[in-house]
Amino acid sequence: QVQLVESGGGLVQTGGSLRLSCAASGSIFGLNAMGWFRQAPGKQRELVAMIMFGGSTNYGDSVKGRFTISRDNTKNTVYLQMNRLKPEDTAHYYCYCAQLGSSYWGQGTQVTVSS
């Protein structure tokens, strides 16, 4: 089992920045993909960004050029730097990881962008 704990959400004004962190613990051998999804009220959960163990990344179209994902494999932690935030980025952000065919999710952290 892998446990994921997110931190860094909050309230920010349009154009501002936030940095999310997610630390993995437990049976973390073989961690591969780590990333972030988000879900706004009444909408489906969507990919924000994903990073593989080797460093390759993938971003959702709506965040390209504004968000940057990174990871520290020595700390089993993934980060999401969010810049130029917009009201439509308001959502509950969930950390995700994949390990040897299994997927794990964190409890999520709320990001609210005021206009």
Side-chain angles (χ1 to χ4, degrees):
Q1 289 287 333
V2 176
Q3 293 79 46
L4 300 172
V5 177
E6 302 103 331
S7 61
L11 173 65
V12 64
Q13 291 185 334
T14 296
S17 298
L18 282 174
R19 188 189 193 213
L20 305 183
S21 300
C22 172
S25 62
S27 182
I28 56 177
F29 176 79
L31 275 182
N32 190 6
M34 297 186 76
W36 297 90
F37 287 73
R38 68 186 182 187
Q39 188 166 18
K43 295 187 177 182
Q44 289 186 331
R45 190 172 295 191
E46 63 174 359
L47 171 71
V48 178
M50 191 72 63
I51 184 167
M52 307 305 286
F53 184 85
S56 61
T57 59
N58 185 34
Y59 292 92
D61 288 340
S62 62
V63 307
K64 287 180 181 177
R66 299 188 298 122
F67 291 11
T68 302
I69 191 169
S70 61
R71 68 189 282 175
D72 184 337
N73 291 329
T74 65
K75 297 180 179 179
N76 300 303
T77 299
V78 62
Y79 305 95
L80 184 68
Q81 178 66 43
M82 304 185 292
N83 298 327
R84 306 202 312 272
L85 282 159
K86 305 175 182 180
E88 49 264 45
D89 294 317
T90 295
H92 209 67
Y93 283 68
Y94 295 92
C95 182
Y96 162 92
C97 77
Q99 179 203 42
L100 302 175
S102 297
S103 299
Y104 299 92
W105 295 90
Q107 292 296 310
T109 184
Q110 180 67 30
V111 171
T112 302
V113 184
S114 63
S115 58

